[in-house]
Amino acid sequence: MSNAPPKKKNSSSRVTSSQGQIPSKEASVLVASASEGPGDPRRARLPVWPEWNDAEVNAEKWDAPKGSKDGKPFFEDPEGKIELPPSLKVHSWKRPSEYVLTKGPVIVEHESVFDLMSANEHLLCSELMRWIISEIYIVWKICNGNGSNKCAASEPLRQEWKPWEHIYSLCKVSKGHMPLYNIYGKYVVKLFWMGCWRKITVDDSLPFDDENNMLLPATSVQAELWPMLLAKAIIKLANTDVSLHQRREVGEFTVIHALTGWIPELIPLQSRYQGKVWEFLRETIPEFQCTEESPEERPSPPDSATEDDSRLNECKSESPPANKSPERAKGCELPLVPQMVVCASYYPLHLLEKKTSLLGQMADSSEKLRQYGLSQLYSHPVLVTRTRACPLVALPKPPSVPRWKLIRPRKERNPTDEPKETPIVKPDQFIEISSPFLNYRVTAIPMPPDLEEQRGCHRKPACRSSLASFSETDESESGGIQGVGSAESSVSSPDAADTAEVTAEDKKNEDRIATDQEGTESALGTEKARHASEPSPPLLQSQDTAVPEQPLLQQTWIDLDDFSKCFQTLLVFHKPNTYPHQFQKSQFKSPDETGSHFLFVDSLTPTEILISFSALLRWGEATDEKKDHIIFHTGLLTAEPFSWKSVVSQLPVLHIQTTATKAAPLSLPPGRHVLRFTVRAPLGFHIHLCSMVPFIFGDEETVMPHLDKDSLRFAEQARGILRALGKVVSAFADEQGLPAAMSELESAHCPPQLLGSGGVRRHMKVFNEAVFHMMTTALDRKLTAEEVFALQALTNDPSLGRNMKENIPTGPEPEVAEMWRDRDFTETETSAATVLQAGCKGFHVRQVRNATRPGTKENINASNTLLAMWAVVESNADKHAVSLLRYIFSNNERAAELYPCYGDESTRIPFTDYSVTFSDQPSNSWFLVFREVFFVPVDMLMVPKIYSPVPTCILHVIDNDTGKEVPRIFQRVRPHVYKQNQKGYTFVAEARTGDTPVPGGKWRMRLIRSHDSLPMLSREPPLSTFAVKEFRDYYIPNDKHIICRFSLKVTMDVLTTIQIQTSKPDVYIKLVVLDREVEVASNTGKGYVVIPVFRFSSNGQPDSSASNSGGECREQDCSNSTGSQRSDGLTCPPQGGGEAGLSQQQPAEAPSHKYIVQAEVLHRSWVLDGSQMAFVQALKDTDRNETKGPGEKQEDPPTPASVDTQSSESQKSATPKSNRKSKDRDREKEKAAAKPGSRQETQSLDESKAQWTLRIVCDQSNADILEARKDTERADEIRAMQQAWEAAEPGRSIKAMQARLQFINKHLLRVTSEEAVDSKEPAVTESGDTAVPPLDPSALPSPPAETDHSQPPVHIPMDFTPFIRKQREEALLKDETIEKEQMREKAEKIQAFRLIRDTILEHRKQEQLSRKELKRRQLEVYEGLQMALDERRRKILQAREAYWSRLMEAELKKKEEESALEAARQVELEKSTPQPQLTSRKQTKSAGKRK
């Protein structure tokens, strides 16, 4: 409680936020409001109220600081004026010294009682003020009520609570302190908010309206200030809440939570769950017990509720008792039980509600509330104190029945022939509530007579009439009922002053009502008349009124059916100090940030965890007008089952949505559970978990170490099996106890569902092997023959241990006699050996059978051996029990699924961490972090998880056998079953830096698996440094769209990673690895491409062993090609397998490798603008000058020259055709790929130009083995050829170029426009000559057939003939004959079209006719069916009528016979009756007629 707050201890139950612990010395946590703006008059960022610290409050300065220059005589709240609800309009602010004139202001005047009703009637129009007043009264009643308990002798059950003890001023922090009035006006209030007690500073400026009424709650003593100061601090907390309903002033904020720290749980009340609500209330709060004492012994009315409370069961957890600490529970020798306080609330009446259904509910609720003395206009929470399932007064005992009447008792007869209906007796189900607003300004609605009759005199009257009742002097005349009414009644409500004088007419009406009503109404009227005669206290604040003896809390009983109609919400406040296991976490963060936390629970019993969630939605808003334009998002907490082994999300099991603080229970079945909590709160949140069982809550690093262990259910199941097995070992030689022990063992390890499924034999075999494995593990050696025989006898399995690896001999094989070596056995010898083996086996089986029977020699020996072995097992029973059950789970999955603990296996997560470090990385770079090969010993599910300081780190996992990459989901490797293979799996991690450099750090990979076996690394420890060969250059477009082309040579097998990146991020790239111009690995991407793993093989002549390895490497070339971050697909032709087979067949002729790494642009996605194209052209010119052959001029402008056609033809014929084709093809590749290497080394590249970067990464130790350079082989060949031509015949290359250009221009002049001509081609002059550009060494004479393939695509004409009108080669005059011919052709086309159209229309007409005919036939069929149905119905009705007629005739005939018999009996009766008696009757009748 607030008067004695416990100091915070350094325990695990209090966890600071992830950003660091919140300092309590100063409010260092700043929360940015989601609605702040530049025009906000208040501060845009305000400090969150600091956590409470006793030392800080003791050192607080209460007066004005010395040397202050502002000259303010009073303290002003740095947060500004508080924001009151819209229903209260502030006119002015005053200090206590300005309106308290009679005497000096004080904080507390009366310490025993207070009255918050009589002086605050003008505030009751505000919902927030009603809630503050009501909840202060509720906490006062809960903590300061008078009760008795058996535990009260040693220590008081309730801890006193005083609301003013939350206020500190001019005093030290101590128990029972008394705050003093501070002239400076500075006060500190201690309230609970966001998971801890907070220090809230307020001033004493108080708001007043235009009628000079104070707008804060006050007591009847004018000078008393504690209600106003406490209310100001509470309103500050309430202003952080956001009401989702526009017409409500209170959202989900509760004053009780702020005053006590109790956790609020909001339960909506619905009539369909009425039974569950009743059971919950009976288990939570005290229950009224009816007594049989006489009225004379009944206590006085004020103490009746107390005596009722004292008659409760002392050892029951009840509400409203105060906090029970664990020490109090020990004093009463009771276990710690969670305690709760239950309240109920209802919504205020809003006539502007648009939903008709809600208006109907409001009308029903308002009517019921008025019947019980409440008003929906004054909505507020009420305290639920007791339940009652019996009458208020015990019913009188029935009179005793004499014994002679119990012998053959008479049965009650029903004189009527109507069926007797059993009356439905409604059980007594009533709930007692307490409220300060009971009977406040409410005109009672009389109860319906039937309802009043049903409830009878056993229900306490809930409301009072506005009419005065008779003043009865003798209260005993009303009997026991009046006594109960007076005992249950409490202090009158404060509206007694409003009661009018009783007129004569009212007395007449009251006389009529009093005669009709029961004694309970008379007692209530008597009490009201008595209070009406008392002088009413004045209601003005300027006058001090008499303080009542106790708070104005009245009680009444409400029927359970009406309870769910009157109230809409049940508020259950849980006391957290009654839970032994707790955890808290607070965090203040930036808006719209989400976080994930994990909950781990492992229990053998059902678990219920109370989860409280507090969300901070707004902070520091200025005005109501501004809030109207703000959309607040509620805080949200969801909990869902989670497993790191799966990516499938499950449905949430908990959903808490709140604007302040709300709690909800989380119920979990027995077993182990892992749940992920996702939190969404705009500015901050707090989570508080309370439970009776241990649990673990935190991030992955906190929870995951506990998931490697076996669950409690698994361990308990294993211990049960081991205990049953121990009983069998102990009773193995006992003839009487062995069958029972064997039966218990079978029921312990064999699931019942397995008995009828046919898997018992398989399970028994696995269980026997598990016992053998456990014994071998416990002894840590190979079992002897006697021990193996004892286990075979124990399991009744003679073949146990034969094929198990634990029993396989490891020594040298026995020597074979010389006579049996190197010879085949005869048939006779084989049959003799078979007979000997069968005999030995039969003898062994008989020995085992004898050992299973108690009393035999073999049994005694086996029993002694088992006891000796079992002593070793018992030394570490838990370990061996788990090993036994784990063996069963691993080898018999079908039986394992039937164990109850199998469901916990999904949450068992063994894992191993692998970490490496990386150095500082520059901005906008790419680097390799991790690359290792793992070998999986058994098939297992694995999930790699990356923890990297670089957010763009991506992991690739490649199967080295198949070359396929494990699929990824959102750049994360999805859970995958890794099967055992030969070459293992390669894990490659790459990372990219952003615009800022990345400092060196630690990279960690966590391998989560489903098996205990660890994957093996190919080397230890993992390599963290790599050698990177980086190449950069400008991008020069070409007709092949090749970015770069590099040749790689290796002297040994090298494992590499290849990556290329472009300056333009949206370029589609294809990265290819070629081996002798055959594609062996490729990958595509956007912006950058990675081939994670590729093994380059050497060109040496391998031997037989190297042949196999060479084949594997060749296959690796094909397989280790995977996708990058934006990979579009993989291209991996099956080349390796064939070459591997060829290598094995012909190891001496292993082919040499010639690797080329080439990057291409796809889909023409890299388009350069004008400035970039000019820069590229300049680069081309520079390259031409640098690659000029000998004797050529180094000139940039083109030089015109005359081309000789004849020499061109001779040049063409001089070169072989095949050589020309191949050389031209290679020339084009060289022309696109050959770039001068001097530009890369001699100057840095311009970042604004189009460029690319190629990286080849290998191990640091293999840096010298790998050699990479630009592929200039073809260019070198061309240059050498050109030099040879010039040496043999000077000017030959120039003539060849001129002949080539002349040939091109001659054949493409007609179809190529001037715009399509490339800038590097010469222009044709009028004389037919061509302008020859500077010679390029890559341009060689080529035959015309190959010209089209070597030229850019712009020179290849497109076939436009389908799109243009056909014309004749020669002009033709259009005469009448041609016109007639054209007209005839058009007429034929039109006629053909009309014929087709008529055919289609005829076909459609036929279809319509067929559909109509089908419809007619269907109608006929339906009519026939209907007629047949009518005919059958008619026949059935006729048969029924005939049968009914026969029955009626038989019935009539029977009645006629009965009437005839009755008439015959009557005649016989008349004959037997004497005649004179009949005559006298007739005479008497005639005499009467004459009179």
Side-chain angles (χ1 to χ4, degrees), residues 286-290 308 311-312 386-388 390-392 557:
E287 185 175 1
F288 175 81
Q289 301 291 339
C290 184
D308 289 331
R311 288 192 296 270
L312 300 176
R386 291 183 297 176
T387 60
R388 176 165 62 87
C390 62
L392 287 172
W557 291 99

Side-chain angles (χ1 to χ4, degrees), residues 889-1055:
F889 273 44
S890 301
N891 294 273
N892 191 3
E893 187 175 356
R894 178 183 176 186
E897 293 176 355
L898 302 178
Y899 283 92
C901 59
Y902 181 77
D904 300 340
E905 291 299 300
S906 60
T907 58
R908 182 174 179 267
I909 301 179
F911 65 91
T912 309
D913 289 347
Y914 303 90
S915 61
V916 295
T917 58
F918 60 90
S919 58
D920 298 344
Q921 300 295 331
S923 59
N924 299 319
S925 64
W926 175 92
F927 63 99
L928 194 66
V929 184
F930 181 85
R931 186 178 65 195
E932 292 295 334
V933 178
F934 288 85
F935 294 93
V936 180
V938 295
D939 296 351
M940 66 177 72
L941 175 71
M942 286 199 306
V943 184
K945 189 173 181 61
I946 301 301
Y947 299 90
S948 173
V950 183
T952 56
C953 184
I954 304 173
L955 180 68
H956 306 269
V957 182
I958 300 94
D959 186 352
N960 296 335
D961 285 4
T962 62
K964 296 181 179 179
E965 182 178 2
V966 177
R968 299 194 306 272
I969 299 177
F970 299 113
Q971 308 305 331
R972 295 184 180 181
V973 180
R974 74 176 187 183
H976 180 72
V977 177
Y978 293 78
K979 299 184 179 297
Q980 187 178 7
N981 60 2
Q982 295 181 357
K983 302 177 184 178
Y985 297 85
T986 304
F987 287 70
V988 181
E990 54 161 327
R992 300 175 64 188
T993 60
D995 297 334
T996 57
V998 176
K1002 184 177 181 181
W1003 179 91
R1004 180 163 54 99
M1005 180 180 68
R1006 174 167 293 175
L1007 274 184
I1008 302 171
R1009 59 189 188 277
S1010 61
H1011 201 274
D1012 292 331
S1013 301
L1014 284 173
M1016 296 177 293
L1017 270 172
S1018 60
R1019 57 188 174 189
E1020 289 286 350
L1023 188 64
S1024 59
T1025 57
F1026 300 94
V1028 182
K1029 294 183 180 298
E1030 183 174 317
F1031 306 93
R1032 300 180 63 193
D1033 201 352
Y1034 295 111
Y1035 169 62
I1036 300 179
N1038 53 81
D1039 55 342
K1040 298 296 183 180
H1041 309 290
I1042 295 177
I1043 300 176
C1044 62
R1045 183 181 172 92
F1046 281 82
S1047 173
L1048 280 84
K1049 295 181 180 180
V1050 294
T1051 58
M1052 293 178 59
D1053 294 353
V1054 178
L1055 192 68

Side-chain angles (χ1 to χ4, degrees), residues 206-267:
L206 306 176
F208 287 81
D209 60 4
D210 52 357
E211 297 180 0
N212 202 25
N213 292 324
M214 186 183 300
L215 299 182
L216 290 175
T219 61
S220 55
V221 180
Q222 182 188 18
E224 206 168 25
L225 300 181
W226 69 263
M228 293 81 85
L229 299 176
L230 183 60
K232 287 189 68 174
I234 292 175
I235 292 174
K236 279 190 176 184
L237 268 60
N239 286 338
T240 62
D241 186 14
V242 177
S243 179
L244 298 179
H245 200 288
Q246 298 180 356
R247 289 180 290 272
R248 290 202 60 186
E249 298 177 358
V250 180
E252 295 177 348
F253 171 78
T254 55
V255 181
I256 296 179
H257 174 68
L259 294 176
T260 61
W262 298 342
I263 300 174
E265 176 188 357
L266 278 65
I267 303 176

Side-chain angles (χ1 to χ4, degrees), residues 1182-1189 1192 1279 1282 1335-1337:
T1182 305
D1183 293 345
R1184 289 194 189 98
N1185 292 332
E1186 291 178 354
T1187 57
K1188 289 290 185 179
E1192 297 178 0
R1279 188 178 295 107
Q1282 191 175 12
L1335 293 180
D1336 193 343

Side-chain angles (χ1 to χ4, degrees), residues 850 1112 1239:
N850 292 333
E1112 292 176 359
R1239 183 168 59 248

